[in-house]
């Protein structure tokens, strides 16, 4: 094709990129860009499945074929490692969560007059895209969107955003509303009726004075393996069941048959409780409510899980502590765990399972581990946030 450039890859923010580095919005590998800027579609495109695509910021890549989406997820990990000159023994194929599998979401609502918009923000904007369909959310959560919109008519302040947090738990859906004004008997009854009508696991509101649980028939739980955890309101859980299963499997493969394992940044116990059978686990977490939930679950199950409330950024485990373990599980926030990784790099721990929601910080930390004598055996990319540029992964390091 004369006077055209081939789109070769997708950049981190979702733009197509040519060989000479030009970024083209909405382009897909295999497309061609003509000299006048016209985009000629190639074979790797897909028809977007949502009416809001292109405006809603929840998805960036619905126009990309399944195979190309998987290549993008894998490529993000490869590119991050190459950027830090980190060699991996193997980068495994990406695992993608299916449509309608997102069991956790934070939406925004805004009331102007009698109109209430509720949904994700538009891309790179604070404008709210009023959600009328969503191929991401599990059906049980999407079914709550219209009723929540009606509920907010009576408790949302004018022209002030309300944060709407949704999550599926064992007993049903959890709804957390932040920034509402639920004053008086009518508002209280409306909240109770809403929670009962929709069989919620929990309904909590924040009117500016902290979170108040207004409906909770029984302690809501999430299960990891056979152990149920009584989770705090909107506790951090993996976004999809498929994504959680992929990451847990990768962690199990990485730690092997280690008899004593440290789970650092353990949260409410996603990994500690999933792998505890037949071994001793030490779990450390800086969030007090999360580690309290994990402690309670481990005690009720009589699991061999020792817990500690510990800020691993300020007080990381040092080599003398780390050397007691046959493997370490590491699942830090997006910024990574530089101080803790430095201590691990100086230790003699045989194996590390590193779970990350940011390929860039993972690659930076991986470089420190390699400098300390570890090798990166394999990496498993996980596309848990389908049609998004957000990429997660798990990797195994060994000495």
């Amino acid at each position: 094709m004369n006077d055209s450039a081939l789109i070769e890859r997708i950049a981190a923010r979702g733009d197509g990129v040519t060989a000479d580095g030009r970024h083209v919005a909405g382009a897909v590998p295999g497309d061609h860009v003509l000299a006048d800027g016209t985009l000629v579609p190639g074979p790797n495109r897909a028809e977007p499945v949502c009416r809001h695509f292109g405006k809603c910021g929840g998805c960036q890549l619905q126009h990309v074929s399944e195979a190309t989406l998987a290549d993008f997820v894998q490529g993000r990990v490869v590119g991050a490692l190459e950027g830090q000159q980190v060699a991996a023994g193997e980068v495994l194929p990406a695992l993608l969560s299916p449509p309608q599998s997102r069991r956790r979401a934070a939406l925004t609502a805004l009331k102007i007059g009698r109109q209430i918009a509720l949904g994700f923000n538009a891309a790179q904007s604070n404008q709210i895209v009023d959600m009328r369909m969503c191929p991401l959310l599990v059906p049980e959560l999407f079914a709550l969107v219209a009723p929540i919109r009606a509920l907010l008519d009576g408790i949302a302040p004018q022209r002030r955003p309300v944060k709407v947090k949704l999550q599926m738990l064992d007993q049903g859906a959890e709804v957390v509303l932040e920034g509402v004004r639920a004053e008086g008997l009518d508002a209280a009854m409306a909240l109770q009726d809403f929670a009962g009508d929709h069989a919620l696991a929990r309904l909590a509101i924040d009117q500016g004075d902290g979170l108040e649980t207004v409906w909770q028939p029984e302690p809501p739980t999430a299960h990891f393996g056979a152990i149920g955890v009584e989770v705090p309101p909107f506790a951090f859980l993996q976004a999809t069941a498929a994504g959680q299963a992929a990451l847990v499997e990768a962690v199990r493969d990485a730690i092997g048959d280690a008899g004593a394992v440290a789970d650092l940044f353990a949260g409410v116990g996603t990994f500690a409780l999933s792998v505890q059978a037949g071994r001793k686990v030490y779990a450390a977490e800086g969030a007090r409510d999360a580690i309290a939930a994990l402690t309670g679950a481990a005690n009720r199950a009589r699991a061999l899980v020792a817990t500690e409330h510990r800020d691993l950024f300020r007080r990381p485990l040092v080599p003398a502590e780390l050397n007691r373990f046959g493997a370490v599980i590491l699942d830090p926030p997006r910024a990574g765990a530089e101080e803790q990784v430095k201590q691990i790099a100086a230790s003699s721990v045989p194996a590390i399972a590193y779970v990350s929601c940011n390929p860039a910080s993972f690659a930076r930390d991986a470089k420190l581990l390699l400098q300390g004598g570890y090798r990166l055996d394999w990496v498993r990319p996980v596309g848990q946030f389908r049609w998004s540029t957000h990429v997660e992964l798990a990797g195994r390091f060994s000495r």
Side-chain angles (χ1 to χ4, degrees):
M1 186 176 294
N2 295 327
D3 298 322
S4 69
L6 176 68
I7 300 295
E8 295 190 344
R9 62 183 181 89
I10 300 175
R13 295 187 177 181
D15 293 341
V17 184
T18 63
D20 60 1
R22 280 184 289 162
H23 287 237
V24 181
V28 172
D31 292 351
H32 283 82
V33 184
L34 302 183
D36 63 0
T38 301
L39 191 63
V40 180
N44 298 316
R45 303 185 69 86
E47 189 66 26
V49 295
C50 182
R51 63 189 280 190
H52 301 305
F53 179 69
K55 186 177 182 182
C56 176
C59 296
Q60 297 83 46
L61 300 172
Q62 282 189 21
H63 62 302
V64 176
S65 70
E66 188 80 355
T68 304
L69 182 60
D71 288 345
F72 165 77
V73 173
Q74 186 185 53
R76 281 288 310 281
V77 175
V78 170
L81 294 175
E82 289 177 346
Q84 292 288 343
Q85 298 180 320
V86 171
E90 184 179 12
V91 179
L92 299 167
L95 297 178
L96 305 181
S97 290
Q100 294 185 307
S101 64
R102 181 91 167 264
R103 61 184 183 180
R104 172 184 171 89
L107 310 177
T108 305
L110 186 66
K111 181 178 182 180
I112 300 179
R114 296 304 302 272
Q115 300 297 314
I116 297 176
L118 170 61
F120 291 110
N121 282 11
Q124 299 180 346
S125 169
N126 59 6
Q127 180 183 358
I128 300 165
V129 177
D130 195 26
M131 182 184 287
R132 301 295 168 170
M133 67 178 298
C134 184
L136 287 177
L137 297 182
V138 296
E140 296 90 337
L141 290 187
F142 179 71
L144 290 172
V145 171
I148 289 173
R149 192 182 284 112
L151 174 68
L152 290 176
D153 183 51
I155 60 174
Q158 286 285 341
R159 297 183 179 274
R160 296 186 63 181
V162 172
K163 187 62 70 176
V164 178
K165 298 177 177 178
L166 308 173
Q167 183 157 254
M168 289 303 300
L169 301 174
D170 292 337
Q171 294 76 13
E174 173 186 44
V175 177
V176 177
L177 306 175
E178 299 177 356
V180 295
R181 292 288 181 268
E183 301 173 350
L185 180 60
D186 288 346
M189 293 301 295
L191 289 167
Q192 291 284 327
D193 290 345
F194 173 82
D197 290 347
H198 297 284
L200 298 186
R202 175 162 50 209
L203 173 61
I205 64 172
D206 188 342
Q207 302 184 72
D209 300 319
L211 208 58
E212 172 191 0
T213 298
V214 298
W215 174 272
Q216 182 176 292
E218 60 181 292
T221 59
H223 268 76
F224 307 111
I227 299 178
V229 180
E230 295 181 7
V231 294
F234 206 62
F236 175 80
L237 304 177
Q238 295 297 330
T240 70
Q244 177 176 302
L247 293 172
V248 168
E249 181 181 6
V251 166
R252 283 202 182 103
D253 289 346
I255 64 175
D257 59 359
V261 175
D263 183 7
L264 308 183
F265 305 96
V268 295
T270 301
F271 300 112
L273 298 179
S274 295
V275 306
Q276 54 78 35
R279 66 178 106 229
K280 296 179 180 179
V281 177
Y282 161 83
E285 167 59 45
R288 190 179 298 276
D289 57 351
I291 198 65
L294 171 53
T295 302
N299 290 342
R300 286 189 298 273
R302 297 184 178 180
L304 294 178
V305 179
T307 61
E308 183 180 9
H309 177 227
R310 181 165 177 165
D311 185 341
L312 295 168
F313 294 106
R314 297 184 178 182
R315 194 163 64 92
L317 268 70
V318 298
E321 296 171 296
L322 292 163
N323 292 341
R324 304 173 187 174
F325 301 104
V328 167
I329 303 168
L330 197 61
D331 183 19
R334 284 189 60 81
E338 184 175 358
E339 293 307 314
Q340 182 61 80
V341 166
K342 288 178 179 177
Q343 298 299 321
I344 296 173
S347 77
S348 60
V349 175
I352 304 162
Y354 192 140
V355 177
S356 173
C357 60
N358 184 351
S361 61
F362 172 84
R364 182 206 66 205
D365 288 350
K367 186 174 184 178
L368 294 174
L369 290 171
L370 266 61
Q371 290 171 347
Y374 284 91
R375 60 181 177 272
L376 177 55
D377 298 316
W378 49 259
V379 180
R380 168 68 83 181
V382 177
Q384 187 169 196
F385 291 82
R386 187 178 182 84
W387 297 313
S388 167
T389 56
H390 184 83
V391 171
E392 297 184 307
L393 62 113
R396 181 183 194 273
F397 297 83
S398 63
R399 283 204 177 276

